Amino acid sequence: MRKSAWWQRVSLWCAAAAVAGASWAGSAAASSPVTVTLWSWSPLSTTMQKMVAAFEKAHPGIVIKPQIQPSSTYWTSLKAAAASGTLPDIIGLSAGVNTQLYRPFLQPLNSFAARSWGSNWRSRFPLAVDHQMLLGNPKGNHNVYMLPEEAEVLNVWYNRQIFKKLHLAIPRTLPQLVKVSRALDKAGYIAFFQGAEAANFDQWMFMELADQTDQTGMLEAQIGKPTWTQPGMVRAMAAWKQLFTDGVIQQGALGQFQYPTGANLFAAGRVGMMLLGSWWLQEAELPPPQPAEVKNLQAFGTFPFPAITPGGHPSPYIGGIDVGFGLTKAAKAHEAAAEAVLKSIVSGRMEQQALNTLNDLPAFAGFKPTIPLTRHLNALYTRYLKILPHTISHEIGNPVIGQALVNAMQGVASGKLTPSQGMASVNAVAIQQEKSGS
Amino acid sequence: MPLNRRRGSWGRFSGLVYVVPAVAVFGLFTAFPLVENVLWSFYHVTLTGKDFIGTAHYRQLGSDPVFQTALVNSLLWIVLTIAAQMTLGYGLALLVEDHLVFGRGFFRTLFFVPMVITPSIISIVFTTLYAPSYGAVYGLWEALLPNLPFPGLLSDPNLVTFTLIGVNVWQWTGFFFLLYVAGLSQIPVEVREAARVDGAGFVPLSTRVYLPMLRPTHLTLLLLGTVQALQQFPLVYLITGGGPDNASQILGTDIFQEGFILNHLGYASTIATVLLILALVLVVLQLRLFGGRFTVSQRTLE
């Protein structure tokens, strides 16, 4: 009898626990937030955490699971995820080839953009950014598959303190650049650091030069036309070679990367000049320890690349999309939540958080950092914002042609090829790609 | 009654059941990717599908200068790294084991340390060491040879592969050294003593006694060295990225460049298949040449 009562009591407790558990699970399911997964290589992980916190605070029903990886592993992971059908809801993309590669997995965003920002939504983005959104689309396809979050502008950064110490003026012409470089070299500094192993910085340097000598040819080449052997393009390659022979670019540049080597040396005050971009502003907001020179970027300033032809003008500013985001087809399962996140990334709280770390420039018009900036930093940022609408696209649509250009630049710099031979080799690849329809 | 007959059919098949997990793991993670890779080499592959193109990729190899550079460099890696690592490893093992009275443990650890350092750290260290204008090697060069221009160790297309091979040798010599130390310790004391009594000094002892008796170690290192050289990727990728102008490409980095930068997945599979065939040929050749003589024969001992 006693045994039976004991069993009855246990059974009752179990039943009660089961009912309580079931009802808790039920209520949890009813109120569980929607999870949106997001992968990217940019912005920095710490910045993304702030962006996510800001969004989740305003949207209690949505949880963002971000995964930020270094770009070297990000693209590999993304490729594997696409091949195995496990892409997240939102993916970080660069313009052109990477967006095109994942196009079959992405949703067209035109109607979402029109709903969010009105029918003339494209006018909210700078011209170069707008151009790059569609870069590489098949003829007749006017869909947009990624929306830019941040934009960038490239130019030469220089160490103002070193220049002041050595009584150097900002160079406006190539002979002046050579003279300044020699003075810097004589004083024990690396005059102009170029990590010529880094493909993207080589391409950008070439655009800085070619946009002076044949801007039309360069823009056509970027969309795949074989204009690489035009005289102005060959002249740009000759100027690139001259930067090495005249001692502007440092010895051993072909064996060095812009990041981390060059950027660290520049931040440490050992480099006079370097091709960088608006993203360098974020150094001012990076957590300590920072070299004293980097604090508020007081020691640094910018100027356009000097004129390489007699009587010519310095390089026009080049730039475009730094990072954009696309909605994958997987996001259709919780479309509203994913769209809310994407809208916030482009033109909402998430974008504001990114800008407040000075991550880069806003791609969407009307935004700027709301944190207090020093006078110098504010002047730099404001200047970039003014330049941004007038920048020329810095993206080569076809990676095979882009790689051929880098190979040719390295071949010319090392003396293996003449400028004409280098450009002929790029043009041959461009013709072959054009024929194959790539 | 024999045990297997008492067990009946289970006895006959129990062995097979025990190997199923190993076969399944091998099949899933080794055989399947290998077969899939070979198949992909006959297709134009994109993320969304593939088109059969026959042997087009194999014909493309003949006119691809980057692949040809990578192939030559990979062969150079095999020959030079193995030769240098075996010579240095054997020399260091002789010095430490035969001539050091104190500190053997210290030197064994010291020479092995590079093996446990991650390639990313090695790449940062050597990029800094070799850097012109601020690197330690540059400083040394300026001090010793101030009138000669500093060579572009990582920027000169003619030098870069040898510089990288040097880094590999620095990292892997410790492993070769350790295997030679183990091999030397297996040589009977009586043999050493007998040779010394016969008047054998350092050179005859190390070349006519130890060297032939260490044959199994040489063969093991030859095999492992070949596989290691063919598998090399991180040092080249991290230090030069295969540049400048593809001068330091090896097959591993060329596969990565084609597959993950240029998005030519089918062509990358073709190069991977060539790498697979090369590895198989070299390993089979070594096994054929040296047979199963990975142990010391009685004749050698005698």
Side-chain angles (χ1 to χ4, degrees):
Chain A
M1 182 67 189
R2 269 183 76 193
K3 197 175 175 182
S4 153
W6 183 81
W7 272 111
Q8 275 175 353
R9 223 174 298 148
V10 169
S11 306
L12 272 171
W13 274 109
C14 287
V19 169
S23 71
W24 177 82
S27 66
S31 64
S32 65
V34 179
T35 300
V36 175
T37 48
L38 182 155
W39 289 6
S40 188
W41 81 100
S42 178
L44 296 170
S45 185
T46 46
T47 304
M48 181 54 81
Q49 282 166 17
K50 288 179 190 171
M51 292 164 69
V52 168
F55 179 87
E56 288 180 348
K57 197 175 167 191
H59 299 82
I62 303 173
V63 170
I64 304 174
K65 269 195 173 173
Q67 192 178 310
I68 304 295
Q69 297 181 48
S71 65
S72 53
T73 53
Y74 173 68
W75 298 110
T76 314
S77 307
L78 205 60
K79 210 163 272 184
S84 59
T86 53
L87 280 172
D89 302 316
I90 298 174
I91 55 174
L93 292 161
S94 56
V97 62
N98 280 315
T99 301
Q100 294 304 324
L101 187 65
Y102 294 98
R103 184 161 45 84
F105 305 92
L106 295 168
Q107 300 184 42
L109 297 169
N110 301 47
S111 64
F112 159 71
R115 271 187 278 124
S116 300
W117 303 298
S119 56
N120 64 340
W121 61 274
R122 281 178 63 181
S123 65
R124 308 296 292 268
F125 296 99
L127 214 58
V129 168
D130 179 63
H131 165 78
Q132 289 182 1
M133 274 195 283
L134 295 158
L135 190 63
N137 266 13
K139 218 172 179 178
N141 183 344
H142 302 295
N143 284 327
V144 163
Y145 296 91
M146 66 96 96
L147 288 166
E149 183 222 351
E150 289 187 344
E152 61 192 11
V153 175
L154 276 96
N155 54 251
V156 180
W157 279 79
Y158 75 107
N159 189 312
R160 299 198 306 166
Q161 283 180 345
I162 299 174
F163 270 55
K164 197 176 168 189
K165 196 171 97 184
L166 301 177
H167 308 292
L168 300 172
I170 291 174
R172 303 288 179 202
T173 63
L174 189 55
Q176 287 174 6
L177 179 65
V178 173
K179 200 174 163 191
V180 165
S181 299
R182 286 186 182 153
L184 285 163
D185 188 55
K186 200 175 165 192
Y189 296 103
I190 296 169
F192 193 111
F193 190 98
Q194 174 77 15
E197 264 192 26
N200 50 352
F201 281 92
D202 280 352
Q203 290 175 7
W204 289 333
M205 178 56 94
F206 186 82
M207 289 177 205
E208 292 276 350
L209 304 171
D211 280 336
Q212 287 189 35
T213 52
D214 187 357
Q215 198 180 105
T216 313
M218 187 65 240
L219 286 171
E220 285 176 348
Q222 283 171 247
I223 54 170
K225 293 194 177 162
T227 56
W228 299 95
T229 46
Q230 291 180 178
M233 303 289 263
V234 179
R235 175 72 191 89
M237 187 60 107
W240 161 255
K241 173 71 178 172
Q242 200 181 342
L243 295 177
F244 285 82
T245 50
D246 286 357
V248 174
I249 289 176
Q250 86 282 9
Q251 195 189 349
L254 290 176
Q256 291 177 311
F257 286 103
Q258 203 87 341
Y259 278 89
T261 314
N264 287 344
L265 288 168
F266 189 55
R270 297 176 69 174
V271 172
M273 301 168 279
M274 197 168 167
L275 181 67
L276 285 166
S278 47
W279 67 85
W280 178 256
L281 291 164
Q282 67 185 245
E283 297 286 323
E285 284 297 309
L286 289 181
Q290 282 176 313
E293 293 82 2
V294 174
K295 189 76 186 151
N296 295 322
L297 296 182
Q298 202 58 35
F300 299 96
T302 67
F303 62 84
F305 196 89
I308 57 170
T309 51
H313 296 286
S315 296
Y317 285 92
I318 63 168
I321 297 172
D322 178 357
V323 58
F325 289 85
L327 275 188
T328 67
K329 287 175 180 167
K332 281 182 178 168
H334 32 260
E335 193 89 327
E339 284 185 352
V341 175
L342 185 61
K343 189 176 176 186
S344 183
I345 289 174
V346 176
S347 66
R349 287 165 188 266
M350 293 181 81
E351 169 65 344
Q352 190 60 60
Q353 278 299 322
L355 293 180
N356 285 351
T357 61
L358 300 185
N359 200 60
D360 215 331
L361 307 174
F364 196 84
F367 276 83
K368 63 179 187 180
T370 52
I371 52 166
L373 300 176
T374 63
R375 209 168 136 190
H376 177 60
L377 207 49
N378 190 48
L380 285 170
Y381 203 96
T382 310
R383 187 170 153 71
Y384 271 131
L385 282 181
K386 277 185 187 163
I387 293 167
L388 183 60
H390 312 291
T391 50
I392 296 171
S393 174
H394 69 340
E395 199 76 46
I396 294 178
N398 185 323
V400 179
I401 300 173
Q403 188 61 44
L405 173 64
V406 172
N407 294 342
M409 290 177 78
Q410 293 177 345
V412 169
S414 68
K416 223 170 86 179
L417 301 170
T418 63
S420 305
Q421 287 170 334
M423 297 318 284
S425 68
V426 187
N427 213 50
V429 173
I431 290 168
Q432 184 218 338
Q433 290 291 305
E434 198 179 39
K435 275 184 189 163
S436 68
S438 298
Chain B
M1 187 183 279
L3 196 63
N4 61 348
R5 282 189 67 187
R6 264 192 280 132
R7 283 181 181 167
S9 58
W10 165 247
R12 282 200 297 276
F13 296 112
S14 60
L16 289 176
V17 172
Y18 291 132
V19 299
V20 162
V23 170
V25 169
F26 175 80
L28 197 62
F29 296 109
T30 307
F32 172 70
L34 281 181
V35 173
E36 186 81 347
N37 181 73
V38 175
L39 286 177
W40 274 31
S41 69
F42 297 102
Y43 287 86
H44 171 69
V45 184
T46 63
L47 288 176
T48 46
K50 52 187 198 279
D51 297 318
F52 184 74
I53 54 164
T55 56
H57 283 148
Y58 288 92
R59 281 179 272 126
Q60 192 183 334
L61 290 174
S63 58
D64 178 358
V66 181
F67 165 75
Q68 285 155 15
T69 305
L71 183 63
V72 170
N73 284 345
S74 288
L75 295 173
L76 264 179
W77 272 79
I78 295 172
V79 174
L80 294 182
T81 56
I82 291 176
Q85 285 156 196
M86 284 179 94
T87 311
L88 286 172
Y90 181 53
L92 288 172
L94 280 177
L95 282 175
V96 170
E97 295 305 301
D98 254 23
H99 292 271
L100 272 188
V101 181
F102 300 108
R104 280 185 194 170
F106 169 74
F107 281 103
R108 283 177 190 162
T109 312
L110 186 73
F111 293 135
F112 194 70
V113 163
M115 273 297 299
V116 295
I117 303 176
T118 170
S120 53
I121 302 291
I122 293 175
S123 74
I124 291 170
V125 169
F126 276 90
T127 307
T128 311
L129 279 176
Y130 290 153
S133 66
Y134 61 89
V137 178
Y138 174 81
L140 200 66
W141 183 278
E142 284 289 290
L144 299 174
L145 305 159
N147 298 321
L148 285 178
F150 182 65
L153 294 169
L154 294 173
S155 57
D156 185 338
N158 299 316
L159 279 183
V160 63
T161 294
F162 299 100
T163 308
L164 290 172
I165 286 173
V167 180
N168 191 91
V169 170
W170 174 83
Q171 191 189 6
W172 277 82
T173 294
F175 177 75
F176 281 58
F177 158 78
L178 215 64
L179 254 71
Y180 277 121
V181 166
L184 283 170
S185 69
Q186 297 296 309
I187 296 175
V189 182
E190 303 81 42
V191 175
R192 297 167 186 239
E193 293 303 324
R196 285 200 178 109
V197 168
D198 287 344
F202 173 70
V203 176
L205 198 65
S206 52
T207 54
R208 293 189 199 165
V209 180
Y210 296 162
L211 211 56
M213 293 190 76
L214 287 171
R215 188 188 176 90
T217 312
H218 303 319
L219 297 183
T220 306
L221 288 175
L222 205 60
L223 202 69
L224 291 176
T226 306
V227 173
Q228 188 270 324
L230 283 173
Q231 282 185 336
Q232 184 53 264
F233 173 79
L235 284 183
V236 180
Y237 177 68
L238 291 168
I239 296 178
T240 67
D245 190 17
N246 292 309
S248 63
Q249 290 285 5
I250 53 174
L251 290 173
T253 51
D254 193 22
I255 291 167
F256 183 83
Q257 177 163 291
E258 288 293 345
F260 290 96
I261 296 175
L262 303 177
N263 301 313
H264 299 152
L265 293 170
Y267 188 55
S269 298
T270 311
I271 303 171
T273 306
V274 172
L275 177 62
L276 173 72
I277 293 167
L278 186 66
L280 280 175
V281 167
L282 288 174
V283 170
V284 169
L285 211 65
Q286 286 178 14
L287 290 174
R288 275 288 171 99
L289 280 175
F290 306 117
R293 286 172 283 176
F294 280 72
T295 53
V296 189
S297 68
Q298 192 55 39
R299 204 177 145 200
T300 311
L301 278 174
E302 284 163 8

